[in-house]
Amino acid sequence: MLHIVTICGCGMGSSVILKMNAEKALKELGIAAKLEVSDITTGKGAARTADLILIGKELAYLVQDIDKPVIQLTSFVNKQEIKDKLQEYCQANGILP
């Protein structure tokens, strides 16, 4: 099962929206995943055990020192962008054919 951490500045608003939209996209793609919501400070710790990090482009520089794949998003509400980027990641990593 894929472990994904969604990160935003405070961990209370946009990361929750991102988590919900990512869950919908993953369901459509048929991928089982555990998603975790976090703020940037605690997210760095949580991300160390994750398979993938989802974060907005404006904060991505804050996780550049973590040796995990990072998907940078321009919008947490753009469901198609989220689905496309998750699909691309999963295909590149053998999770999807």
Side-chain angles (χ1 to χ4, degrees), residues 44-73:
K44 289 182 81 166
R48 297 192 189 284
T49 61
D51 299 308
L52 178 63
I53 300 165
L54 298 179
I55 193 167
K57 286 187 179 207
E58 70 283 353
L59 296 177
Y61 73 95
L62 295 169
V63 295
Q64 66 186 356
D65 60 331
I66 298 173
D67 189 26
K68 297 291 178 172
V70 175
I71 293 179
Q72 299 179 30
L73 299 159

Side-chain angles (χ1 to χ4, degrees), residues 2 6 8 10-12 18 23 27 31 41 49 56 58 61 64 66 68 74-75 78 85 87 96:
L2 195 59
T6 62
C8 71
C10 294
M12 296 175 11
L18 176 55
E23 285 173 333
K27 184 176 180 178
I31 299 168
T41 304
T49 61
E58 70 283 353
Y61 73 95
Q64 66 186 356
I66 298 173
K68 297 291 178 172
T74 56
S75 172
N78 184 332
K85 289 188 175 184
Q87 183 174 17
L96 278 177

Side-chain angles (χ1 to χ4, degrees), residues 21-55:
N21 287 331
E23 285 173 333
K24 289 175 189 174
L26 290 163
K27 184 176 180 178
E28 289 176 18
L29 294 168
I31 299 168
K34 172 188 165 196
L35 282 87
E36 182 178 349
V37 174
S38 189
D39 64 272
I40 192 64
T41 304
T42 56
K44 289 182 81 166
R48 297 192 189 284
T49 61
D51 299 308
L52 178 63
I53 300 165
L54 298 179
I55 193 167

